[in-house]
Amino acid sequence: LLEKMADVSLKEAALIVGVVAACYWNSLFCGFVFDDVSAILDNKDLHPSTPLKNLFQNDFWGTPMSEERSHKSYRPLTVLTFRLNYLFSELNAVSYHFLNLVLHVVVCIVFLKVCKLFLDNRSSIVASLLFAVHPIHTEAVTGVVGRAELLSSIFFLAAFLSYTKSKGPDNTIVWTPIAVTVFLVAVATLCKEQGITVVGICCVYEVFIAQGYTLPTLLDTAVQILRGKGSIPFSMLQTLLKLIVLMFSTLLLVVVRVQVIQSQLPVFTRFDNPAAVSPSPARQLTFNYLLPVNAWLLLNPSELCCDWTMGTIPLVESLLDVRNVATLTFFCFLGALIVFSLRYPGDSSKTVLMALCLIVLPFIPASNLFFPVGFVVAERVLYVPSMGFCILVAHGWKKLSNKSVLRKISWVCLAAVLFTHALKTLHRNWDWESEYTLFMSALKVNKNNAKLWNNVGHALENEKNFERALQFFIQATQVQPDDIGAHMNVGRTYKNLNRTKEAEESYMIAKSLMPQIIPGKKYAARVAPNHLNVYINLANLIRANESRLEEADQLYRQAISMRPDFKQAYISRGELLLKMNKPLKAKEAYLRALELDRTNADLWYNLAIVYIELKDPAEALKNFNRALELNPTHKLALFNSALLMQESGDARLRPEAKQRLLHYVKEEPQDANGYFNLGMLAMDDKKDMEAEAWMKKAIRLQPNFRSALFNLALLYSQTAKELMALPVLEDLLRYYPDHTKGLILKGDILMNQKKDIVGAKKCFERILELDPNNVQGKHNLCVVYFEERDLIKAEKCLVETLALAPHEEYIQRHLNIVRSKIASLGAVEQSSLPSEGTAAAEEKKKSFQNLKEVKNEKTTTQSTVDNNKEHSKNKKLTEKNSVDKETPKKSTKEIKDIEKKRVAALKRLEEIERILNGE
């Protein structure tokens, strides 16, 4: 490229750089908008964890080419540049916009080199400057996804420049530039499909420019050969050989491209391109009318719009439609230029011919001529055609400026055009600052496009401004009453506003617009696959009502019957079946979804949750591990697998559980649950100081964290720091006055450490108010009566306690001791009976789990898509259910520790009994 730009002077390059910078500096302040969301923010192919080979297996948006919902736009080299951006700056939009700006500068400089082949130096600079500032390019330059145009254009122009070197001295063939051309064409095509059209331009250049033929000359030669009056000239044979090589290479590229899309065209709806599904003659008349519409955008780019689909341009349904005049005028003008360029020799006709080639040939893939496209008009596809337009304008300006009468006027007009275009471009860039500004600017140009109303609604919805979003969504349904997506958006917004009745009505309207199932006919060919989400959304809405779960299941099954490979229907149905307590059927649903997509980490995660419900922790852990293999930062898999390891009681798994929790808190530093469970792990490992630090961190993040407060107090009481436990228990009981275990622990500490019998008595009485049959609380209250020397009341209390727990020997022994005291009537001095020796000791004696309290955020299932937004890519949805649960059964080592505590507690009881007996 540098060699080919050698005759572009440094001043000329600096001028172009300065002009582009002046026009596009504000693009650096724009974010990711419109298609950028799908191609950048939601595209996993940008992440370093995604294998590079996926770039060559997926489309531009990260969807596997084999899937029906794929747009079949195969641009792996463009996605590779996005990935490089991500590598250096992740999702910082500035770097993406800066690279686009740089690429536009490169295109302008290479274009200047191309212009110099057909124009004089001054006119070439004019063409290049006009191209640099033309407002039609803002979508390609300021919109990040427009990079496909920029990259493809660089290699497109480079391939053409290379081909111009293929003619050697004496009209010989130089094969190296041709080989380079073929390579560059392939690279351009891997950036964007239209790159392949440069082959047509090379063919025209070879015949009419390099060889200097005109159409009359070619016709005369052909007639002579057919009459047998002459043979094919050698120079023409050489030309044919070069053309055959080019055409064969092109055919090869086309075959490869067809193989990549697996001979399937993308599925578009009538909303994307209404004319494509219209009957004749509306189809042909509309497609032809779109050509002058595109030409007018190049001539007068005053009203630009990011989305020209749906009702933007009404169908031309009759020959009497006045718009046909514009079509006729356009073809007459184009025909005149073609005749002039092919019929007459000379530099002027050659310039016009090459300009026409640059306008027409690159536009053919977007013209609906060979296959329907997913848009009506797209400004970014005019990026390369505008090169030919700029050459035509510069050539016309040269003709005018050469006439002395018009010289000054031509210069003034040129200056005015460049200045106004530059201002328009600068102003247009601000429209791309955010989705809201972009779509609002589009609505100023076009109010008949329901998609624009929907997208403004989405932008407001993302800002949680649901009331205003609803207004735009409703307007979308009025502009296009049969737009399924608009009614879905209305339903979702009503749901967000907790207006479930209206939400269900809107979803039902959307459902009624869906086509009926026709046996033997492929459903997806008649409707956008994401419209099937109406069944998912409606089912998700009504399943909140426990009495309508079967109805919701019927909706999921209906979606599956319409599209057996509808992965999301299986996922959502799996969630519902779990809710209906049908884990085996849920397992079947997830396994079916995994048949469709085994690389989805969320599916493996959901299956793990099913195995937890089926009481199969080993299989659950395997599936958590599969999820983490596919996505090492899967937060819920990290968290829940760590809990599973912790709860298994296997000490060998604790180090890995700790690592996963550490990884989780790195990903979710504001989630107190992560730090709490690290604290529980440390308690299991008898690392008391570490456990204390983690618990305190959890409480700092969530001051009312019930389980963290209690277990920190318990930790203090177990490590002889009972007085430090008291303020923690005060906090716990301030938030949760009915926390029985907290009341027991506080009462024990007040009794044994503070000797505050009155305070302890209040704790135990409060427990019995909450639960009159609480054995621990009632027994400890008996101890308080004994401390108060009310032996009769203590005896009565112990009798009642023994009735609640007749098999507890320590209660019977204590009752016998009290009765012996009553019998002796004070023969022996009464001694204190510490509550720690009774309830608290027995609490530890029973098992570790009766006091140690765990709060886990156990996740039921995780959906891979939101299903709610129309006209945008889907997002992940997670749903958490908080569950207070006790620590499950312990390992052998822990059971031995508990037994040691039991022995120690029994010894303590023996000491108490000796005191009571006066020994």
Side-chain angles (χ1 to χ4, degrees), residues 737-780:
D738 301 342
H739 196 289
T740 304
K741 292 178 183 178
L743 288 166
I744 289 174
L745 190 56
K746 182 183 176 183
D748 287 346
I749 294 171
L750 289 175
M751 174 76 75
N752 296 320
Q753 302 299 320
K754 300 281 284 185
K755 307 302 180 185
D756 182 357
I757 297 173
V758 175
K761 185 176 182 182
K762 287 180 181 177
C763 290
F764 301 137
E765 286 175 343
R766 175 63 181 152
I767 291 168
L768 293 178
E769 286 176 20
L770 298 170
D771 179 11
N773 296 325
N774 188 292
V775 175
Q776 299 162 21
K778 195 163 185 69
H779 179 270
N780 281 11

Side-chain angles (χ1 to χ4, degrees), residues 269-392:
T269 70
R270 60 191 178 86
F271 298 118
D272 296 319
N273 189 352
V277 294
S278 299
S280 298
R283 176 187 173 96
Q284 290 75 19
L285 290 174
T286 305
F287 282 157
N288 283 307
Y289 172 67
L290 293 179
L291 300 176
V293 169
N294 281 280
W296 182 248
L297 286 174
L298 289 174
L299 276 169
N300 179 28
S302 58
E303 292 190 338
L304 300 178
C305 180
C306 62
D307 193 313
W308 295 79
T309 55
M310 301 189 90
T312 305
I313 299 175
L315 295 173
V316 181
E317 298 180 291
S318 168
L319 290 169
L320 300 177
D321 194 311
V322 70
R323 290 174 292 175
N324 290 319
V325 175
T327 307
L328 190 62
T329 304
F330 170 78
F331 278 108
C332 287
F333 183 70
L334 183 64
L337 288 175
I338 291 171
V339 169
F340 169 77
S341 61
L342 293 178
R343 184 170 182 180
Y344 302 105
D347 292 339
S348 182
S349 60
K350 289 178 180 179
T351 301
V352 171
L353 178 62
M354 293 312 299
L356 289 175
C357 285
L358 280 168
I359 292 172
V360 174
L361 295 180
F363 187 73
I364 286 175
S367 66
N368 293 282
L369 183 62
F370 296 113
F371 48 83
V373 294
F375 52 84
V376 178
V377 173
E379 291 164 13
R380 62 174 174 261
V381 304
L382 293 173
Y383 189 77
V384 176
S386 69
M387 294 177 184
F389 171 78
C390 292
I391 290 175
L392 273 182

Side-chain angles (χ1 to χ4, degrees), residues 330-622:
F330 170 78
F331 278 108
C332 287
F333 183 70
L334 183 64
L337 288 175
I338 291 171
V339 169
F340 169 77
S341 61
L342 293 178
R343 184 170 182 180
Y344 302 105
D347 292 339
S348 182
S349 60
K350 289 178 180 179
T351 301
V352 171
L353 178 62
M354 293 312 299
L356 289 175
C357 285
L358 280 168
I359 292 172
V360 174
L361 295 180
F363 187 73
I364 286 175
S367 66
N368 293 282
L369 183 62
F370 296 113
F371 48 83
V373 294
F375 52 84
V376 178
V377 173
E379 291 164 13
R380 62 174 174 261
V381 304
L382 293 173
Y383 189 77
V384 176
S386 69
M387 294 177 184
F389 171 78
C390 292
I391 290 175
L392 273 182
V393 172
H395 183 59
W397 173 83
K398 174 190 169 185
K399 295 287 187 185
L400 291 174
S401 63
N402 284 342
K403 296 179 180 179
S404 56
V405 180
L406 301 173
R407 184 175 292 119
K408 286 185 179 179
I409 296 175
S410 66
W411 276 100
V412 170
C413 289
L414 175 67
V417 168
L418 291 176
F419 182 70
T420 54
H421 277 45
L423 277 182
K424 173 66 178 176
T425 297
L426 191 66
H427 182 263
R428 175 66 174 158
N429 287 334
W430 289 121
D431 291 340
W432 292 80
E433 185 178 12
S434 68
E435 294 213 316
Y436 180 76
T437 56
L438 179 64
F439 297 125
M440 284 301 290
S441 71
L443 280 176
K444 292 174 185 175
V445 175
N446 170 32
K447 290 181 169 59
N448 296 321
N449 186 343
K451 192 173 177 183
L452 294 175
W453 293 98
N454 278 319
N455 283 333
V456 175
H458 288 318
L460 291 167
E461 188 180 36
N462 291 336
E463 296 171 1
K464 308 298 181 187
N465 192 345
F466 297 122
E467 291 287 355
R468 278 198 69 204
L470 182 62
Q471 296 172 13
F472 283 90
F473 289 142
I474 290 174
Q475 182 63 34
T477 63
Q478 293 171 354
V479 169
Q480 189 87 38
D482 59 348
D483 181 8
I484 297 170
H487 290 287
M488 288 169 66
N489 292 335
V490 172
R492 184 183 62 255
T493 311
Y494 274 132
K495 182 183 176 184
N496 289 331
L497 292 168
N498 294 318
R499 295 163 65 176
T500 53
K501 183 181 177 183
E502 292 95 331
E504 184 173 347
E505 288 172 358
S506 296
Y507 284 141
M508 290 302 290
I509 293 171
K511 181 171 173 282
S512 69
L513 293 170
M514 296 288 284
Q516 298 300 310
I517 302 174
I518 300 173
K521 189 166 183 181
K522 197 174 184 184
Y523 178 79
R526 294 175 291 120
V527 70
N530 57 358
H531 283 172
L532 281 171
N533 287 332
V534 68
Y535 295 98
I536 307 301
N537 293 348
L538 182 57
N540 290 346
L541 180 71
I542 66 175
R543 77 182 196 185
N545 184 340
E546 294 289 337
S547 65
R548 301 182 70 184
L549 297 183
E550 287 293 343
E551 187 181 345
D553 190 33
Q554 176 63 32
L555 285 165
Y556 291 136
R557 282 183 280 140
Q558 189 173 354
I560 290 168
S561 70
M562 287 181 165
R563 189 180 177 91
D565 62 345
F566 189 20
K567 179 176 62 182
Q568 184 54 38
Y570 293 106
I571 295 170
S572 298
R573 185 165 186 247
E575 296 173 10
L576 178 68
L577 291 168
L578 272 180
K579 187 175 181 179
M580 296 169 73
N581 199 26
K582 297 178 180 179
L584 287 173
K585 286 190 175 181
K587 177 183 168 184
E588 289 176 14
Y590 287 130
L591 288 174
R592 180 71 182 93
L594 280 168
E595 289 176 15
L596 300 170
D597 183 7
R598 297 191 69 81
T599 62
N600 191 316
D602 297 329
L603 282 175
W604 291 105
Y605 169 83
N606 287 0
L607 190 57
I609 297 300
V610 171
Y611 280 114
I612 288 176
E613 295 295 323
L614 290 170
K615 305 292 187 290
D616 190 346
E619 199 62 34
L621 190 56
K622 285 181 187 176

